[in-house]
Amino acid sequence: MIVIKQINFRIPMEMDSQIEELSEKFGLSRSEIIRQALTLYFKIIGDLDKLTNIRELSKEEIQITQENIRDVHFINLDSFNISIVISNSSSGGIGPKIHDQVSVDGEVVGSIIARTALIKMLSISAEPTTVLLNFSNEMEETGRNIIQGVNTECKKIGINNVVVGHSEENIKTCQTGVSITAIGLLETNQLIQPEIKKGDKVFCIGHPSVGEDILNMKLPQIEDIKLLQKNKSIKKIIPVGHPGIKKEINNHLSNTELTIQWKNTDIDLNLSAGPTSAVIAITKPKLKQKQIEKRSRIPITEIGKVK
């Protein structure tokens, strides 16, 4: 049983306006906004203190920059070589509601959407610490089932802090809608990854699929990404979303003169990979497919090489 204690404190007027804005935006009370903000703060500072002494921080010393890499956002605390990493995902029309286009249990929806957001973060070697969840449906029973699926994925990497924000309790809904945000930490120098060069190989892990097809496919799991990260011959891991494999790689190489020589395979390079139903691995030239298969439980296909 959680014991609630009332406290009073003073805050700047600007912060008070921000709390009010968030309260109106998400339909939460001011107290709930403050409670969730403190929950996130304590979690982030707790992990931050493992890497630097929080008592040494001062407002004047902190230098902050921000950047996006694909759809992952970084808030870089440059003075301390720490980045707060934010990734997200959403789902609509998939679930147990009467007008959902893909009919599936809410727990499955939660599991799939959680692994999508977490894989984005794990693929860049960040450490997820907190997950935030919002629904466009009622908490009972749709929300509860989705939370179960999210918790299943979070427990795989030791995340116990799942913050549930807004649910729709005023309007009866006929389709499932959910959004998820993952927050984590990364030592900023880990953003510097090995340079991609001519001759590097390109592998597809999993198989691009979308809609009902994903229910019958072996999807890349959190465990698969963690195992791939341990292979020093893998230079880059790129989760594939709705743009498809070809666009994802072309976007990644857009600032270089490199291109891909594609192999003739049964992989559809243009098909949406939905909720990360496929992951790209760019590797050193000498790495063989069998060496990757030892660390994966899902289909792997060599689809090209860098030229």
Side-chain angles (χ1 to χ4, degrees):
M1 178 178 178
I2 299 176
V3 179
I4 303 296
K5 181 179 179 180
Q6 182 174 333
I7 60 173
N8 297 312
F9 55 90
R10 298 178 179 179
I11 58 174
M13 288 296 295
E14 181 181 356
M15 187 178 293
D16 181 75
S17 298
Q18 290 176 325
I19 293 172
E20 186 65 31
E21 181 180 341
L22 290 172
S23 176
E24 293 179 0
K25 180 177 181 180
F26 294 107
L28 300 174
S29 67
R30 291 166 58 88
S31 296
E32 181 63 15
I33 293 291
I34 295 170
R35 187 192 69 79
Q36 291 195 23
L38 287 173
T39 299
L40 291 173
Y41 175 82
F42 290 144
K43 181 62 180 176
I44 291 171
I45 292 300
D47 287 334
L48 186 62
D49 201 25
K50 297 175 184 177
L51 303 174
T52 187
N53 187 349
I54 191 63
R55 289 172 292 277
E56 294 177 356
L57 294 175
S58 70
K59 187 173 182 180
E60 292 75 16
E61 292 174 343
I62 299 177
Q63 296 181 7
I64 299 176
T65 60
Q66 300 191 43
E67 62 182 310
N68 289 317
I69 298 180
R70 296 182 63 250
D71 52 356
V72 179
H73 187 70
F74 298 83
I75 303 173
N76 304 317
L77 306 179
D78 298 322
S79 304
F80 301 96
N81 190 37
I82 301 290
S83 294
I84 300 172
V85 185
I86 303 170
S87 63
N88 56 66
S89 186
S90 64
S91 175
I94 301 173
K97 292 290 186 181
I98 187 171
H99 289 306
D100 281 327
Q101 295 298 300
V102 177
S103 180
V104 66
D105 185 76
E107 189 170 348
V108 175
V109 175
S111 177
I112 290 176
I113 194 173
R115 57 167 283 285
T116 300
L118 293 172
I119 283 176
K120 290 179 183 180
M121 188 167 292
L122 292 170
S123 68
I124 55 169
S125 301
E127 179 183 353
T129 63
T130 305
V131 164
L132 297 90
L133 203 55
N134 284 287
F135 309 106
S136 296
N137 307 106
E138 78 290 344
M139 181 61 71
E140 305 292 349
E141 60 189 66
T142 304
R144 294 293 180 196
N145 289 338
I146 292 173
I147 291 172
Q148 288 181 8
V150 171
N151 282 332
T152 297
E153 297 302 314
C154 288
K155 287 178 180 178
K156 293 178 181 179
I157 49 178
I159 296 179
N160 298 312
N161 191 27
V162 177
V163 180
V164 179
H166 180 70
S167 60
E168 179 54 73
E169 306 299 337
N170 298 315
I171 303 296
K172 184 177 181 180
T173 60
C174 57
Q175 286 188 304
T176 305
V178 57
S179 68
I180 189 168
T181 300
I183 300 174
L185 295 172
L186 177 70
E187 293 186 57
T188 305
N189 57 17
Q190 288 185 278
L191 282 171
I192 304 173
Q193 296 186 334
E195 181 184 0
I196 296 174
K197 299 179 179 179
K198 292 181 179 180
D200 287 344
K201 293 181 178 179
V202 181
F203 291 92
C204 175
I205 300 160
H207 204 290
S209 54
V210 69
E212 291 186 354
D213 290 343
I214 66 172
L215 304 178
N216 302 313
M217 305 293 292
K218 290 185 177 180
L219 303 177
Q221 300 296 323
I222 288 172
E223 302 93 323
D224 298 310
I225 304 304
K226 296 191 75 173
L227 286 171
L228 291 170
Q229 288 285 13
K230 295 180 179 180
N231 191 323
K232 301 303 181 183
S233 293
I234 296 178
K235 293 184 171 183
K236 188 77 176 177
I237 298 173
I238 306 173
V240 183
H242 68 272
I245 291 174
K246 185 173 287 188
K247 285 186 178 179
E248 292 280 15
I249 292 187
N250 287 343
N251 288 340
H252 187 76
L253 299 178
S254 60
N255 294 325
T256 74
E257 296 182 356
L258 300 172
T259 59
I260 303 297
Q261 180 179 335
W262 301 103
K263 298 186 69 172
N264 186 20
T265 70
D266 64 347
I267 300 293
D268 188 336
L269 301 176
N270 299 306
L271 182 67
S272 167
T276 315
S277 57
V279 171
I280 300 164
I282 300 179
T283 76
K284 295 179 180 179
K286 292 184 179 181
L287 187 67
K288 299 185 181 299
Q289 184 168 321
K290 290 183 178 180
Q291 293 174 282
I292 307 179
E293 289 173 337
K294 291 179 181 179
R295 292 187 174 272
S296 180
R297 297 162 292 177
I298 56 178
I300 295 176
T301 307
E302 185 176 349
I303 56 175
K305 70 176 181 178
V306 181
K307 66 173 186 177

